[in-house]
Amino acid sequence: DGGITQSPKYLFRKEGQNVTLSCEQNLNHDAMYWYRQDPGQGLRLIYYSQIVNDFQKGDIAEGYSVSREKKESFPLTVTSAQKNPTAFYLCASSAAGSYEQYFGPGTRLTVT
Amino acid sequence: AQSVTQLGSHVSVSEGALVLLRCNYSSSVPPYLFWYVQYPNQGLQLLLKYTTGATLVKGINGFEAEFKKSETSFHLTKPSAHMSDAAEYFCAVSIQGAQKLVFGQGTRLTINP
């Protein structure tokens, strides 16, 4: 079955620690995206990548970093510089030239 | 710049009643428009999309939406609500010149028995 996997489903970290969220897709999509979701605020774009070894900042990139070394993988690191990291994080992908995005199941990060 | 406004953060209807979720967009070029549904603690699933052609678009689970350029709207409807329709719904519009979407704030739909 083709799709997007995010792991783990729930993640707990202490304040001051960096944490990396995994996103893998086997849809052969070129573009991948990371969103943050907070109650009542919809989805906000953190980073996106349209091709391997290239990525762009979204609307709320501060305190986050990404890499795109392989087409299938787009990990997101939440650094200690992110002031309010507790949120639901969603990864998505889309085919080249398409606006239709396919979403993973999400990772809920709690930082205390 | 493109933007999306969803009117009503919470909508409540009775089972069997009409569902109407409102979405207005702002775009200087012909947009691509999407409705997604999200169940608790899950990712988003595409309900339907408008790209070009017929302005009345049918999607999954009995939902449909109509693109009205003159009103810059893309409202989502379903003739008869089912308990399983309870979820959060997001409208999204394409961003010109970039392979990105901008999402509305979401509307939480509650179905009363």
Side-chain angles (χ1 to χ4, degrees):
Chain A
D1 268 344
I4 300 177
T5 57
Q6 292 186 244
S7 59
K9 180 69 173 175
Y10 298 94
L11 192 53
F12 298 88
R13 280 294 184 272
K14 295 289 189 185
E15 195 173 318
Q17 293 179 334
N18 292 355
V19 59
T20 297
L21 281 61
S22 167
C23 177
E24 303 278 332
Q25 55 99 358
N26 61 3
L27 299 168
N28 199 33
H29 286 172
D30 288 297
M32 297 187 73
Y33 309 81
W34 274 106
Y35 294 92
R36 172 182 172 135
Q37 185 176 21
D38 297 282
Q41 296 197 46
L43 276 68
R44 293 183 290 169
L45 183 64
I46 305 172
Y47 269 97
Y48 67 105
S49 167
Q50 293 182 284
I51 196 169
V52 174
N53 292 324
D54 188 43
F55 48 82
Q56 288 79 39
K57 293 182 179 180
D59 301 316
I60 56 165
E62 185 175 352
Y64 299 97
S65 66
V66 294
S67 63
R68 186 85 188 277
E69 298 176 1
K70 298 188 299 181
K71 188 175 184 178
E72 308 79 41
S73 179
F74 191 41
L76 173 74
T77 297
V78 184
T79 75
S80 56
Q82 168 51 231
K83 297 191 186 310
N84 186 17
T86 294
F88 190 52
Y89 290 87
L90 287 160
C91 180
S93 70
S94 63
S98 172
Y99 286 96
E100 181 178 339
Q101 295 183 13
Y102 294 75
F103 283 81
T107 291
R108 187 167 297 281
L109 173 65
T110 303
V111 177
T112 57
Chain B
Q2 287 83 356
S3 66
V4 175
T5 301
Q6 291 184 238
L7 297 175
S9 58
H10 290 89
V11 170
S12 182
V13 303
S14 298
E15 190 174 18
L18 171 73
V19 175
L20 171 60
L21 303 183
R22 300 178 187 272
C23 173
N24 287 89
Y25 68 90
S26 166
S27 178
S28 58
V29 296
Y32 292 174
L33 294 158
F34 301 82
W35 275 101
Y36 284 87
V37 61
Q38 184 183 34
Y39 299 100
N41 291 311
Q42 294 186 26
L44 276 66
Q45 179 184 5
L46 181 68
L47 271 179
L48 49 79
K49 63 182 178 183
Y50 169 79
T51 53
T52 58
T55 56
L56 181 62
V57 180
K58 295 187 185 299
I60 62 172
N61 302 338
F63 284 93
E64 62 182 37
E66 187 170 11
F67 169 59
K68 292 187 176 180
K69 184 179 178 180
S70 61
E71 299 177 8
T72 60
S73 69
F74 191 56
H75 302 330
L76 182 70
T77 60
K78 181 174 180 177
S80 177
H82 191 273
M83 296 299 291
S84 62
D85 295 327
E88 188 148 23
Y89 293 79
F90 292 93
C91 183
V93 65
S94 56
I95 297 178
Q96 181 195 12
Q99 196 179 348
K100 298 191 294 182
L101 298 176
V102 61
F103 287 84
Q105 306 289 52
T107 297
R108 183 169 300 279
L109 177 64
T110 301
I111 312 297
N112 302 312

